[in-house]
Amino acid sequence: MRSQSVWPVSSIRLTNMLEDALRRESEEWEEVFYSGQGSFEEMDVSSKMRDKAVAQLWTLSRTLRLSSESYILGVSLFDQVLSRIKVRSKYVYCVGVGCLSLAGKLVEDDDPELDSFVRWTEFSMCELKRMELAIASKMDWNLNPRTSLHFLHIFYFMVQSSNAASLPSLAPVEYRLINCLRHYQSASFAPSTLALAVLSVTLECCHPDWLTSVLHFLNEVKVDYATFIKCLRFVQKVCALPSEAVRLLPSDLVFLSCSLEKSGICTCARPTYADIVSGRHKAGLCEGSGDESCTSCASPASNKGVRVSALLVSAS
């Protein structure tokens, strides 16, 4: 199993990596739609069939001790292959195993033998070899596209390099992303958008200035606010976040993006995720950052002015 290491990468290099990843995403990624669970078309892969296959691939990857990077790449290839060809329902899992096998060969330090996949599945060696060749051909031999995990790593280390605030380790954040990928709705969002939504709900819990970072990345990714909000709500639902979590609207992001650039709002006073859940923001008891160098925080009058918290919480 390949060990996950922290990248000692400079901010400039991270920016260049993000630009290159976004360029490749625009060239490679295609939105995937799955038919309803009640579809009677033999050649249509329903959302239920897709999720079942992805869950089986997760069990197989754990059995073979593959890394999360291999699994996520395998799922990404699986969705893209199903968007390009019609597959009979009885071959759906075989396509998934072929994608996971190819991903393991590209990612793992010790390439998993095809015998291992044969031993733990119902397919023969010849079937898997033919499937791997068919997948590679349909993907034009581009078997290493930019995945949501790649973007998640870039965003994570950009936040880490630009702010001294402590962040949770990568492992639980990656697992949150994996949970999202096990749902068919994830295939309708670009990898960069899904990764940013996962990072956003993570930063809410530990980063007092999380929204500034999210707005910065939204500007880099160039995704429309409505799509990001839809993806954010999907991640919140999958991760079973508290019902009182911060709920943003596209208009909130537009207003805040303009206001923060003009320095019209004190970002130090922005409530944390804990403030929202505990209700401290309603009583004006948000902890904030307490930055004494900020003139807005130091001024008593500013506490009576416009607060970002009023824009973040939807009226119940």
Side-chain angles (χ1 to χ4, degrees), residues 13 53 79 85 95 97 118 127 153 155 184 191 201 253 269 281:
R13 186 181 174 189
D79 284 325
I85 60 175
V95 173
V97 174
V118 173
E127 286 177 322
H153 283 173
F155 292 147
Y184 72 93
V201 298
L253 294 178
H281 66 285

Side-chain angles (χ1 to χ4, degrees), residues 258-301:
C258 297
S259 300
L260 290 175
E261 290 178 1
K262 297 177 181 179
S263 300
I265 296 179
C266 173
T267 61
C268 298
R270 184 177 295 114
T272 64
Y273 181 81
D275 292 328
I276 299 295
V277 174
S278 65
R280 288 196 297 267
H281 66 285
K282 297 179 180 179
L285 299 176
C286 298
E287 295 176 355
S289 63
D291 188 356
E292 296 180 356
S293 62
C294 176
T295 56
S296 297
C297 286
S299 173

Side-chain angles (χ1 to χ4, degrees), residues 298-310:
S299 173
S302 65
N303 294 329
K304 299 179 181 180
V306 178
R307 299 282 299 214
V308 177
S309 58

Side-chain angles (χ1 to χ4, degrees), residues 29 65 196 212:
W29 180 77
R65 299 183 63 82
L196 183 55
T212 302

Side-chain angles (χ1 to χ4, degrees), residues 186-199:
S186 64
S188 63
F189 300 110
S192 57
T193 304
L194 180 61
L196 183 55
V198 170
L199 182 68

